[in-house]
Each structure stands twice: as C-alpha cells, then as structure tokens.
PDB file of all heavy atoms in Angstrom:
ATOM      1  N   THR A   1     -18.158 -24.353   5.808  1.00 79.00           N
ATOM      2  CA  THR A   1     -17.489 -23.945   4.571  1.00 79.00           C
ATOM      3  C   THR A   1     -17.581 -22.436   4.386  1.00 79.00           C
ATOM      4  O   THR A   1     -16.602 -21.774   4.050  1.00 79.00           O
ATOM      5  CB  THR A   1     -18.127 -24.662   3.362  1.00 79.00           C
ATOM      6  OG1 THR A   1     -18.077 -26.067   3.573  1.00 79.00           O
ATOM      7  CG2 THR A   1     -17.425 -24.305   2.070  1.00 79.00           C
ATOM      8  N   LEU A   2     -18.766 -21.889   4.614  1.00 83.00           N
ATOM      9  CA  LEU A   2     -18.950 -20.444   4.460  1.00 83.00           C
ATOM     10  C   LEU A   2     -18.264 -19.668   5.575  1.00 83.00           C
ATOM     11  O   LEU A   2     -17.697 -18.605   5.337  1.00 83.00           O
ATOM     12  CB  LEU A   2     -20.432 -20.103   4.437  1.00 83.00           C
ATOM     13  CG  LEU A   2     -21.166 -20.532   3.185  1.00 83.00           C
ATOM     14  CD1 LEU A   2     -22.635 -20.165   3.295  1.00 83.00           C
ATOM     15  CD2 LEU A   2     -20.573 -19.893   1.967  1.00 83.00           C
ATOM     16  N   ILE A   3     -18.326 -20.193   6.766  1.00 84.00           N
ATOM     17  CA  ILE A   3     -17.701 -19.504   7.900  1.00 84.00           C
ATOM     18  C   ILE A   3     -16.196 -19.382   7.673  1.00 84.00           C
ATOM     19  O   ILE A   3     -15.600 -18.347   7.961  1.00 84.00           O
ATOM     20  CB  ILE A   3     -18.045 -20.214   9.219  1.00 84.00           C
ATOM     21  CG1 ILE A   3     -19.539 -20.016   9.516  1.00 84.00           C
ATOM     22  CG2 ILE A   3     -17.180 -19.707  10.369  1.00 84.00           C
ATOM     23  CD1 ILE A   3     -20.074 -20.868  10.644  1.00 84.00           C
ATOM     24  N   ARG A   4     -15.578 -20.427   7.100  1.00 86.00           N
ATOM     25  CA  ARG A   4     -14.130 -20.364   6.799  1.00 86.00           C
ATOM     26  C   ARG A   4     -13.821 -19.283   5.778  1.00 86.00           C
ATOM     27  O   ARG A   4     -12.745 -18.712   5.773  1.00 86.00           O
ATOM     28  CB  ARG A   4     -13.636 -21.721   6.292  1.00 86.00           C
ATOM     29  CG  ARG A   4     -13.377 -22.730   7.378  1.00 86.00           C
ATOM     30  CD  ARG A   4     -12.584 -23.926   6.869  1.00 86.00           C
ATOM     31  NE  ARG A   4     -13.222 -24.639   5.783  1.00 86.00           N
ATOM     32  CZ  ARG A   4     -14.105 -25.625   5.935  1.00 86.00           C
ATOM     33  NH1 ARG A   4     -14.464 -26.004   7.143  1.00 86.00           N
ATOM     34  NH2 ARG A   4     -14.623 -26.217   4.884  1.00 86.00           N
ATOM     35  N   LEU A   5     -14.763 -18.975   4.908  1.00 89.00           N
ATOM     36  CA  LEU A   5     -14.561 -17.924   3.904  1.00 89.00           C
ATOM     37  C   LEU A   5     -14.652 -16.526   4.522  1.00 89.00           C
ATOM     38  O   LEU A   5     -14.083 -15.571   3.998  1.00 89.00           O
ATOM     39  CB  LEU A   5     -15.596 -18.078   2.789  1.00 89.00           C
ATOM     40  CG  LEU A   5     -15.482 -17.178   1.578  1.00 89.00           C
ATOM     41  CD1 LEU A   5     -14.157 -17.382   0.854  1.00 89.00           C
ATOM     42  CD2 LEU A   5     -16.631 -17.432   0.624  1.00 89.00           C
ATOM     43  N   LEU A   6     -15.341 -16.418   5.644  1.00 91.00           N
ATOM     44  CA  LEU A   6     -15.548 -15.104   6.266  1.00 91.00           C
ATOM     45  C   LEU A   6     -14.418 -14.759   7.236  1.00 91.00           C
ATOM     46  O   LEU A   6     -14.643 -14.437   8.398  1.00 91.00           O
ATOM     47  CB  LEU A   6     -16.909 -15.083   6.977  1.00 91.00           C
ATOM     48  CG  LEU A   6     -18.106 -15.200   6.040  1.00 91.00           C
ATOM     49  CD1 LEU A   6     -19.394 -15.332   6.843  1.00 91.00           C
ATOM     50  CD2 LEU A   6     -18.175 -14.015   5.102  1.00 91.00           C
ATOM     51  N   THR A   7     -13.202 -14.782   6.743  1.00 93.00           N
ATOM     52  CA  THR A   7     -12.041 -14.408   7.545  1.00 93.00           C
ATOM     53  C   THR A   7     -12.080 -12.905   7.811  1.00 93.00           C
ATOM     54  O   THR A   7     -12.763 -12.156   7.093  1.00 93.00           O
ATOM     55  CB  THR A   7     -10.730 -14.742   6.800  1.00 93.00           C
ATOM     56  OG1 THR A   7     -10.675 -13.939   5.610  1.00 93.00           O
ATOM     57  CG2 THR A   7     -10.642 -16.220   6.450  1.00 93.00           C
ATOM     58  N   PRO A   8     -11.331 -12.430   8.797  1.00 94.00           N
ATOM     59  CA  PRO A   8     -11.277 -10.973   9.018  1.00 94.00           C
ATOM     60  C   PRO A   8     -10.834 -10.213   7.772  1.00 94.00           C
ATOM     61  O   PRO A   8     -11.366  -9.141   7.472  1.00 94.00           O
ATOM     62  CB  PRO A   8     -10.265 -10.825  10.163  1.00 94.00           C
ATOM     63  CG  PRO A   8     -10.361 -12.118  10.909  1.00 94.00           C
ATOM     64  CD  PRO A   8     -10.621 -13.171   9.851  1.00 94.00           C
ATOM     65  N   GLU A   9      -9.878 -10.768   7.018  1.00 95.00           N
ATOM     66  CA  GLU A   9      -9.399 -10.093   5.806  1.00 95.00           C
ATOM     67  C   GLU A   9     -10.507 -10.009   4.755  1.00 95.00           C
ATOM     68  O   GLU A   9     -10.670  -8.977   4.099  1.00 95.00           O
ATOM     69  CB  GLU A   9      -8.187 -10.824   5.207  1.00 95.00           C
ATOM     70  CG  GLU A   9      -6.958 -10.816   6.096  1.00 95.00           C
ATOM     71  CD  GLU A   9      -7.006 -11.900   7.182  1.00 95.00           C
ATOM     72  OE1 GLU A   9      -7.806 -12.861   7.072  1.00 95.00           O
ATOM     73  OE2 GLU A   9      -6.244 -11.775   8.147  1.00 95.00           O
ATOM     74  N   ASN A  10     -11.265 -11.086   4.585  1.00 95.00           N
ATOM     75  CA  ASN A  10     -12.336 -11.071   3.589  1.00 95.00           C
ATOM     76  C   ASN A  10     -13.491 -10.173   4.027  1.00 95.00           C
ATOM     77  O   ASN A  10     -14.128  -9.527   3.192  1.00 95.00           O
ATOM     78  CB  ASN A  10     -12.831 -12.490   3.310  1.00 95.00           C
ATOM     79  CG  ASN A  10     -11.829 -13.299   2.514  1.00 95.00           C
ATOM     80  OD1 ASN A  10     -10.855 -12.759   1.993  1.00 95.00           O
ATOM     81  ND2 ASN A  10     -12.041 -14.594   2.436  1.00 95.00           N
ATOM     82  N   ARG A  11     -13.758 -10.100   5.321  1.00 95.00           N
ATOM     83  CA  ARG A  11     -14.796  -9.182   5.806  1.00 95.00           C
ATOM     84  C   ARG A  11     -14.376  -7.738   5.573  1.00 95.00           C
ATOM     85  O   ARG A  11     -15.186  -6.900   5.179  1.00 95.00           O
ATOM     86  CB  ARG A  11     -15.076  -9.420   7.283  1.00 95.00           C
ATOM     87  CG  ARG A  11     -15.808 -10.705   7.545  1.00 95.00           C
ATOM     88  CD  ARG A  11     -15.989 -10.901   9.025  1.00 95.00           C
ATOM     89  NE  ARG A  11     -16.665 -12.158   9.262  1.00 95.00           N
ATOM     90  CZ  ARG A  11     -17.362 -12.404  10.346  1.00 95.00           C
ATOM     91  NH1 ARG A  11     -17.495 -11.492  11.288  1.00 95.00           N
ATOM     92  NH2 ARG A  11     -17.935 -13.575  10.507  1.00 95.00           N
ATOM     93  N   LYS A  12     -13.111  -7.450   5.794  1.00 96.00           N
ATOM     94  CA  LYS A  12     -12.616  -6.092   5.537  1.00 96.00           C
ATOM     95  C   LYS A  12     -12.739  -5.765   4.048  1.00 96.00           C
ATOM     96  O   LYS A  12     -13.170  -4.670   3.680  1.00 96.00           O
ATOM     97  CB  LYS A  12     -11.159  -5.970   5.988  1.00 96.00           C
ATOM     98  CG  LYS A  12     -10.577  -4.593   5.788  1.00 96.00           C
ATOM     99  CD  LYS A  12      -9.140  -4.525   6.255  1.00 96.00           C
ATOM    100  CE  LYS A  12      -8.574  -3.145   5.978  1.00 96.00           C
ATOM    101  NZ  LYS A  12      -7.145  -3.070   6.295  1.00 96.00           N
ATOM    102  N   LEU A  13     -12.398  -6.732   3.197  1.00 96.00           N
ATOM    103  CA  LEU A  13     -12.512  -6.550   1.752  1.00 96.00           C
ATOM    104  C   LEU A  13     -13.963  -6.267   1.363  1.00 96.00           C
ATOM    105  O   LEU A  13     -14.243  -5.335   0.603  1.00 96.00           O
ATOM    106  CB  LEU A  13     -12.004  -7.799   1.029  1.00 96.00           C
ATOM    107  CG  LEU A  13     -12.164  -7.832  -0.485  1.00 96.00           C
ATOM    108  CD1 LEU A  13     -11.351  -6.717  -1.148  1.00 96.00           C
ATOM    109  CD2 LEU A  13     -11.739  -9.196  -1.016  1.00 96.00           C
ATOM    110  N   MET A  14     -14.896  -7.040   1.903  1.00 95.00           N
ATOM    111  CA  MET A  14     -16.307  -6.825   1.577  1.00 95.00           C
ATOM    112  C   MET A  14     -16.797  -5.469   2.099  1.00 95.00           C
ATOM    113  O   MET A  14     -17.607  -4.821   1.462  1.00 95.00           O
ATOM    114  CB  MET A  14     -17.164  -7.968   2.128  1.00 95.00           C
ATOM    115  CG  MET A  14     -16.936  -9.261   1.360  1.00 95.00           C
ATOM    116  SD  MET A  14     -18.114 -10.590   1.693  1.00 95.00           S
ATOM    117  CE  MET A  14     -17.970 -10.808   3.437  1.00 95.00           C
ATOM    118  N   ARG A  15     -16.271  -5.024   3.237  1.00 95.00           N
ATOM    119  CA  ARG A  15     -16.639  -3.707   3.763  1.00 95.00           C
ATOM    120  C   ARG A  15     -16.152  -2.602   2.827  1.00 95.00           C
ATOM    121  O   ARG A  15     -16.868  -1.639   2.560  1.00 95.00           O
ATOM    122  CB  ARG A  15     -16.080  -3.515   5.173  1.00 95.00           C
ATOM    123  CG  ARG A  15     -16.552  -2.216   5.829  1.00 95.00           C
ATOM    124  CD  ARG A  15     -16.152  -2.080   7.295  1.00 95.00           C
ATOM    125  NE  ARG A  15     -14.746  -2.350   7.549  1.00 95.00           N
ATOM    126  CZ  ARG A  15     -14.279  -3.416   8.218  1.00 95.00           C
ATOM    127  NH1 ARG A  15     -15.094  -4.313   8.699  1.00 95.00           N
ATOM    128  NH2 ARG A  15     -12.988  -3.579   8.399  1.00 95.00           N
ATOM    129  N   VAL A  16     -14.934  -2.748   2.302  1.00 96.00           N
ATOM    130  CA  VAL A  16     -14.406  -1.762   1.348  1.00 96.00           C
ATOM    131  C   VAL A  16     -15.276  -1.741   0.090  1.00 96.00           C
ATOM    132  O   VAL A  16     -15.621  -0.669  -0.421  1.00 96.00           O
ATOM    133  CB  VAL A  16     -12.929  -2.048   1.001  1.00 96.00           C
ATOM    134  CG1 VAL A  16     -12.447  -1.168  -0.147  1.00 96.00           C
ATOM    135  CG2 VAL A  16     -12.046  -1.847   2.226  1.00 96.00           C
ATOM    136  N   ILE A  17     -15.676  -2.918  -0.388  1.00 96.00           N
ATOM    137  CA  ILE A  17     -16.544  -2.975  -1.573  1.00 96.00           C
ATOM    138  C   ILE A  17     -17.857  -2.266  -1.292  1.00 96.00           C
ATOM    139  O   ILE A  17     -18.329  -1.477  -2.104  1.00 96.00           O
ATOM    140  CB  ILE A  17     -16.786  -4.440  -1.999  1.00 96.00           C
ATOM    141  CG1 ILE A  17     -15.485  -5.073  -2.503  1.00 96.00           C
ATOM    142  CG2 ILE A  17     -17.876  -4.530  -3.060  1.00 96.00           C
ATOM    143  CD1 ILE A  17     -15.557  -6.579  -2.692  1.00 96.00           C
ATOM    144  N   ARG A  18     -18.446  -2.535  -0.136  1.00 94.00           N
ATOM    145  CA  ARG A  18     -19.733  -1.916   0.207  1.00 94.00           C
ATOM    146  C   ARG A  18     -19.618  -0.409   0.401  1.00 94.00           C
ATOM    147  O   ARG A  18     -20.416   0.364  -0.125  1.00 94.00           O
ATOM    148  CB  ARG A  18     -20.276  -2.552   1.496  1.00 94.00           C
ATOM    149  CG  ARG A  18     -21.628  -1.979   1.919  1.00 94.00           C
ATOM    150  CD  ARG A  18     -21.976  -2.316   3.343  1.00 94.00           C
ATOM    151  NE  ARG A  18     -21.032  -1.671   4.240  1.00 94.00           N
ATOM    152  CZ  ARG A  18     -20.877  -2.009   5.518  1.00 94.00           C
ATOM    153  NH1 ARG A  18     -21.578  -2.986   6.032  1.00 94.00           N
ATOM    154  NH2 ARG A  18     -20.006  -1.380   6.270  1.00 94.00           N
ATOM    155  N   ASP A  19     -18.601   0.027   1.135  1.00 95.00           N
ATOM    156  CA  ASP A  19     -18.515   1.442   1.518  1.00 95.00           C
ATOM    157  C   ASP A  19     -17.865   2.330   0.455  1.00 95.00           C
ATOM    158  O   ASP A  19     -18.326   3.437   0.209  1.00 95.00           O
ATOM    159  CB  ASP A  19     -17.768   1.579   2.843  1.00 95.00           C
ATOM    160  CG  ASP A  19     -18.491   0.911   3.996  1.00 95.00           C
ATOM    161  OD1 ASP A  19     -19.690   0.575   3.849  1.00 95.00           O
ATOM    162  OD2 ASP A  19     -17.856   0.704   5.056  1.00 95.00           O
ATOM    163  N   ALA A  20     -16.791   1.850  -0.165  1.00 96.00           N
ATOM    164  CA  ALA A  20     -16.068   2.677  -1.140  1.00 96.00           C
ATOM    165  C   ALA A  20     -16.656   2.562  -2.542  1.00 96.00           C
ATOM    166  O   ALA A  20     -16.404   3.408  -3.387  1.00 96.00           O
ATOM    167  CB  ALA A  20     -14.588   2.298  -1.158  1.00 96.00           C
ATOM    168  N   LYS A  21     -17.412   1.506  -2.800  1.00 95.00           N
ATOM    169  CA  LYS A  21     -18.029   1.278  -4.118  1.00 95.00           C
ATOM    170  C   LYS A  21     -17.008   1.456  -5.252  1.00 95.00           C
ATOM    171  O   LYS A  21     -17.171   2.314  -6.127  1.00 95.00           O
ATOM    172  CB  LYS A  21     -19.223   2.198  -4.318  1.00 95.00           C
ATOM    173  CG  LYS A  21     -20.350   1.941  -3.337  1.00 95.00           C
ATOM    174  CD  LYS A  21     -21.458   2.959  -3.509  1.00 95.00           C
ATOM    175  CE  LYS A  21     -22.592   2.754  -2.551  1.00 95.00           C
ATOM    176  NZ  LYS A  21     -22.300   2.561  -1.158  1.00 95.00           N
ATOM    177  N   PRO A  22     -15.941   0.642  -5.247  1.00 96.00           N
ATOM    178  CA  PRO A  22     -14.920   0.788  -6.297  1.00 96.00           C
ATOM    179  C   PRO A  22     -15.519   0.549  -7.680  1.00 96.00           C
ATOM    180  O   PRO A  22     -16.426  -0.264  -7.851  1.00 96.00           O
ATOM    181  CB  PRO A  22     -13.888  -0.291  -5.948  1.00 96.00           C
ATOM    182  CG  PRO A  22     -14.632  -1.272  -5.110  1.00 96.00           C
ATOM    183  CD  PRO A  22     -15.682  -0.501  -4.384  1.00 96.00           C
ATOM    184  N   LYS A  23     -15.024   1.276  -8.647  1.00 95.00           N
ATOM    185  CA  LYS A  23     -15.533   1.209 -10.018  1.00 95.00           C
ATOM    186  C   LYS A  23     -14.872   0.106 -10.839  1.00 95.00           C
ATOM    187  O   LYS A  23     -15.239  -0.119 -11.983  1.00 95.00           O
ATOM    188  CB  LYS A  23     -15.321   2.547 -10.722  1.00 95.00           C
ATOM    189  CG  LYS A  23     -15.953   3.716 -10.002  1.00 95.00           C
ATOM    190  CD  LYS A  23     -17.472   3.647 -10.069  1.00 95.00           C
ATOM    191  CE  LYS A  23     -18.096   4.873  -9.459  1.00 95.00           C
ATOM    192  NZ  LYS A  23     -18.946   4.617  -8.339  1.00 95.00           N
ATOM    193  N   SER A  24     -13.852  -0.564 -10.251  1.00 95.00           N
ATOM    194  CA  SER A  24     -13.169  -1.645 -10.964  1.00 95.00           C
ATOM    195  C   SER A  24     -12.364  -2.465  -9.960  1.00 95.00           C
ATOM    196  O   SER A  24     -12.143  -2.048  -8.818  1.00 95.00           O
ATOM    197  CB  SER A  24     -12.219  -1.080 -12.017  1.00 95.00           C
ATOM    198  OG  SER A  24     -11.153  -0.387 -11.401  1.00 95.00           O
ATOM    199  N   VAL A  25     -11.908  -3.626 -10.412  1.00 95.00           N
ATOM    200  CA  VAL A  25     -11.049  -4.462  -9.579  1.00 95.00           C
ATOM    201  C   VAL A  25      -9.714  -3.751  -9.358  1.00 95.00           C
ATOM    202  O   VAL A  25      -9.144  -3.823  -8.277  1.00 95.00           O
ATOM    203  CB  VAL A  25     -10.861  -5.857 -10.213  1.00 95.00           C
ATOM    204  CG1 VAL A  25      -9.823  -6.674  -9.454  1.00 95.00           C
ATOM    205  CG2 VAL A  25     -12.189  -6.605 -10.269  1.00 95.00           C
ATOM    206  N   SER A  26      -9.240  -3.036 -10.364  1.00 95.00           N
ATOM    207  CA  SER A  26      -7.975  -2.293 -10.219  1.00 95.00           C
ATOM    208  C   SER A  26      -8.083  -1.254  -9.109  1.00 95.00           C
ATOM    209  O   SER A  26      -7.169  -1.112  -8.285  1.00 95.00           O
ATOM    210  CB  SER A  26      -7.606  -1.593 -11.526  1.00 95.00           C
ATOM    211  OG  SER A  26      -7.415  -2.526 -12.538  1.00 95.00           O
ATOM    212  N   GLU A  27      -9.199  -0.541  -9.080  1.00 96.00           N
ATOM    213  CA  GLU A  27      -9.400   0.450  -8.020  1.00 96.00           C
ATOM    214  C   GLU A  27      -9.473  -0.228  -6.657  1.00 96.00           C
ATOM    215  O   GLU A  27      -8.902   0.254  -5.677  1.00 96.00           O
ATOM    216  CB  GLU A  27     -10.675   1.252  -8.272  1.00 96.00           C
ATOM    217  CG  GLU A  27     -10.928   2.327  -7.221  1.00 96.00           C
ATOM    218  CD  GLU A  27     -12.218   3.097  -7.456  1.00 96.00           C
ATOM    219  OE1 GLU A  27     -12.793   3.026  -8.564  1.00 96.00           O
ATOM    220  OE2 GLU A  27     -12.647   3.778  -6.499  1.00 96.00           O
ATOM    221  N   LEU A  28     -10.140  -1.366  -6.587  1.00 97.00           N
ATOM    222  CA  LEU A  28     -10.226  -2.111  -5.327  1.00 97.00           C
ATOM    223  C   LEU A  28      -8.849  -2.582  -4.874  1.00 97.00           C
ATOM    224  O   LEU A  28      -8.532  -2.512  -3.688  1.00 97.00           O
ATOM    225  CB  LEU A  28     -11.184  -3.304  -5.480  1.00 97.00           C
ATOM    226  CG  LEU A  28     -11.392  -4.157  -4.238  1.00 97.00           C
ATOM    227  CD1 LEU A  28     -11.967  -3.331  -3.085  1.00 97.00           C
ATOM    228  CD2 LEU A  28     -12.309  -5.338  -4.561  1.00 97.00           C
ATOM    229  N   ALA A  29      -8.015  -3.010  -5.813  1.00 96.00           N
ATOM    230  CA  ALA A  29      -6.647  -3.430  -5.475  1.00 96.00           C
ATOM    231  C   ALA A  29      -5.871  -2.264  -4.871  1.00 96.00           C
ATOM    232  O   ALA A  29      -5.147  -2.435  -3.879  1.00 96.00           O
ATOM    233  CB  ALA A  29      -5.935  -3.969  -6.719  1.00 96.00           C
ATOM    234  N   ARG A  30      -6.037  -1.063  -5.447  1.00 96.00           N
ATOM    235  CA  ARG A  30      -5.353   0.116  -4.891  1.00 96.00           C
ATOM    236  C   ARG A  30      -5.877   0.451  -3.495  1.00 96.00           C
ATOM    237  O   ARG A  30      -5.116   0.772  -2.593  1.00 96.00           O
ATOM    238  CB  ARG A  30      -5.527   1.323  -5.813  1.00 96.00           C
ATOM    239  CG  ARG A  30      -4.652   1.285  -7.058  1.00 96.00           C
ATOM    240  CD  ARG A  30      -4.662   2.606  -7.819  1.00 96.00           C
ATOM    241  NE  ARG A  30      -5.981   3.047  -8.219  1.00 96.00           N
ATOM    242  CZ  ARG A  30      -6.627   2.644  -9.311  1.00 96.00           C
ATOM    243  NH1 ARG A  30      -6.054   1.776 -10.126  1.00 96.00           N
ATOM    244  NH2 ARG A  30      -7.819   3.105  -9.610  1.00 96.00           N
ATOM    245  N   LEU A  31      -7.194   0.370  -3.318  1.00 96.00           N
ATOM    246  CA  LEU A  31      -7.798   0.713  -2.028  1.00 96.00           C
ATOM    247  C   LEU A  31      -7.373  -0.245  -0.915  1.00 96.00           C
ATOM    248  O   LEU A  31      -7.250   0.154   0.240  1.00 96.00           O
ATOM    249  CB  LEU A  31      -9.328   0.712  -2.133  1.00 96.00           C
ATOM    250  CG  LEU A  31      -9.967   1.826  -2.941  1.00 96.00           C
ATOM    251  CD1 LEU A  31     -11.446   1.536  -3.174  1.00 96.00           C
ATOM    252  CD2 LEU A  31      -9.792   3.166  -2.226  1.00 96.00           C
ATOM    253  N   THR A  32      -7.184  -1.519  -1.275  1.00 96.00           N
ATOM    254  CA  THR A  32      -6.885  -2.534  -0.261  1.00 96.00           C
ATOM    255  C   THR A  32      -5.411  -2.896  -0.187  1.00 96.00           C
ATOM    256  O   THR A  32      -5.018  -3.677   0.673  1.00 96.00           O
ATOM    257  CB  THR A  32      -7.692  -3.818  -0.541  1.00 96.00           C
ATOM    258  OG1 THR A  32      -7.370  -4.308  -1.848  1.00 96.00           O
ATOM    259  CG2 THR A  32      -9.187  -3.565  -0.425  1.00 96.00           C
TER     260      THR A  32
END
C-alpha cells in the first residue's frame, strides 16, 4: 500500500517540499 504511494511523481513532490520548503500549498503548486 505504501509502496504504491511512492510513485516517481510523489517522490519528486516530497523532494520539492524538503528542499524548497514552500511556505504554503499555493507556493508548492507554483513550484511543481
């Protein structure tokens, strides 16, 4: 179940969250 959640797209999203530290969901939407 968890492995299915760890798609390449979701891993990229989590990397952006970790590295860019967006201040809001809106900022994350713009970044991604």
Side-chain angles (χ1 to χ4, degrees):
T1 304
L2 289 179
I3 291 169
R4 280 194 301 273
L5 186 61
L6 294 173
T7 64
E9 295 82 17
N10 288 349
R11 288 177 181 204
K12 181 180 177 186
L13 175 63
M14 289 192 303
R15 186 173 49 249
V16 171
I17 293 169
R18 181 196 65 196
D19 296 346
K21 296 175 181 48
K23 303 291 185 241
S24 67
V25 172
S26 298
E27 181 182 345
L28 181 60
R30 284 190 303 277
L31 290 169
T32 58

